Amino acid sequence: MRRVENDEIERATASLKAAIEQTRAAGADGWPARKPKLAAALAGLRPLEVHYVRKENQLFPYLEKHGIEGPSKVMWGIHDDIRARLASAHANLAANDFAAARADAEWSAQAISDMVNKEEQILFPLSLDTLSAAEWQQIRVGEDAVGYAFITDIPRW
């Protein structure tokens, strides 16, 4: 499930990176014409919030019950930074501060990609090694209440 979401997060992030590159290539005079594409790419990342909330409220507490707090604390802080920079990108774009919007979007795209890698390389393997089948089942039940990001075909446990 998480891998499927991460695939979709990577696609949305790739769209954002492409929009950033198009704005860079267009230069200052071409910004207004590229604004809708950048706005759409940023909007395409809104479901990311559900992915982060589900990790924070479903997975992290179970790891913490096992005394594993480091990844949760670090990742939650990075989630908050990403949230803030995405919000800033939206606000700067709305204010036609294209340089600031692009800087926020670039930072966000890189941080989101880095987070996907941290999940795949650290968090998920650690979780699989630590949590019991019963705990995974409890997490899965709670996930339905939180929801899913980018995907709709959710298999039963």
Side-chain angles (χ1 to χ4, degrees):
M1 196 84 58
R2 295 184 199 300
R3 179 68 234 163
V4 174
E5 273 190 348
N6 278 346
D7 288 344
E8 294 303 317
I9 291 167
E10 288 174 335
R11 280 185 195 77
T13 303
S15 293
L16 178 59
K17 289 176 181 178
I20 292 165
E21 285 307 312
Q22 288 177 359
T23 62
R24 182 178 288 113
D29 293 336
W31 259 104
R34 302 289 186 232
K35 181 179 177 179
K37 181 148 181 137
L38 185 59
L42 285 166
L45 282 163
R46 283 198 174 108
L48 183 66
E49 175 65 13
V50 175
H51 179 77
Y52 289 167
V53 167
R54 211 173 63 252
K55 279 176 29 186
E56 292 164 354
N57 295 320
Q58 293 302 121
L59 183 57
F60 292 172
Y62 280 89
L63 289 174
E64 290 168 1
K65 287 179 189 176
H66 289 271
I68 300 170
E69 296 179 0
S72 303
K73 289 179 181 177
V74 171
M75 287 184 172
W76 202 317
I78 295 169
H79 294 170
D80 287 343
D81 292 343
I82 291 169
R83 289 173 174 121
R85 290 299 286 266
L86 285 171
S88 180
H90 284 285
N92 285 322
L93 198 58
N96 292 321
D97 186 343
F98 300 121
R102 185 170 62 204
D104 287 333
E106 287 175 333
W107 185 94
S108 297
Q110 186 60 54
I112 293 165
S113 292
D114 291 347
M115 180 57 67
V116 167
N117 288 331
K118 287 177 179 122
E119 288 177 8
E120 297 295 329
Q121 300 300 316
I122 300 167
L123 181 66
F124 298 155
L126 175 66
S127 299
L128 289 170
D129 288 344
T130 303
L131 303 178
S132 69
E135 288 170 313
W136 280 113
Q137 188 170 11
Q138 292 168 349
I139 290 169
R140 176 63 180 84
V141 169
E143 286 181 334
D144 286 339
V146 176
Y148 300 89
F150 303 100
I151 57 174
T152 56
D153 188 21
I154 312 302
R156 294 179 55 103
W157 175 258

